[in-house]
């Protein structure tokens, strides 16, 4: 796992959104999304959309397709402003669409499992 500057992450990820074409950005809540890091190395990744019910479009559709097609995605973890850690590749192991009761809206939860693309970035 290597450390990357934001400029390096952006050059790979190519968007400021959390879900890119071939990578994901995760943090520990700084973005307002509630990623959950499980003891076994998996990540529960909240879908795209901070208001209203999340829809199967944009980044959420990209992750649904990655699940169906088995496409791995590189994951970058924000350690502090401007510093990111490359966690390697993850695959979308599963997903669920569930009511987030405290906000009264439906959101996607994607289960990300390590592995799937070897060592090359």
């Amino acid at each position: 796992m290597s450390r990357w500057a934001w400029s390096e992450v952006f050059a790979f990820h190519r968007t400021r959104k959390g879900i890119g074409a071939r990578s994901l950005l995760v943090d520990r809540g700084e973005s307002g999304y509630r990623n959950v890091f499980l003891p076994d190395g998996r990540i529960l990744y909240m879908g795209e959309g901070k208001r209203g019910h999340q829809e199967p479009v944009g980044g959420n559709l990209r992750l649904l397709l990655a699940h169906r097609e088995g496409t791995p995605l590189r994951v970058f973890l924000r350690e502090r402003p401007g510093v990111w850690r490359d966690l390697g590749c993850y695959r979308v192991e599963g997903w669920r669409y569930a009511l987030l009761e405290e906000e009264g809206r439906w959101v996607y939860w994607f289960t990300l499992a390590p592995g799937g693309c070897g060592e090359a970035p």
Side-chain angles (χ1 to χ4, degrees), residues 64-118:
L64 291 167
L65 291 173
H67 175 254
R68 186 178 77 193
E69 297 165 4
T71 307
L73 299 161
R74 185 157 296 280
V75 174
F76 295 99
L77 171 65
R78 181 181 186 264
E79 292 193 321
R80 60 182 182 274
V83 179
W84 295 77
R85 187 169 13 134
D86 176 5
L87 298 182
C89 287
Y90 281 68
R91 53 189 172 32
V92 181
E93 183 179 79
W95 60 273
R96 65 186 171 96
Y97 191 60
L99 179 64
L100 189 60
E101 290 190 28
E102 60 269 27
E103 295 183 17
R105 66 192 190 105
W106 289 82
V107 300
Y108 283 96
W109 289 99
F110 297 95
T111 303
L112 309 175
C117 68

Side-chain angles (χ1 to χ4, degrees), residues 2 5 13-14 27 30-31 37-38 47 54 57 67 70-71 76 79 81 85-87 94 99 113-114:
S2 59
H13 189 66
R14 298 180 181 238
D27 61 26
E30 298 90 349
S31 65
F37 297 85
L38 300 174
Q54 292 183 353
V57 297
H67 175 254
T71 307
F76 295 99
E79 292 193 321
R85 187 169 13 134
D86 176 5
L87 298 182
L99 179 64

Side-chain angles (χ1 to χ4, degrees), residues 33-44:
Y33 287 98
R34 301 175 184 183
N35 305 311
V36 179
F37 297 85
L38 300 174
D40 64 3
R42 293 181 305 154
I43 301 169
L44 293 181

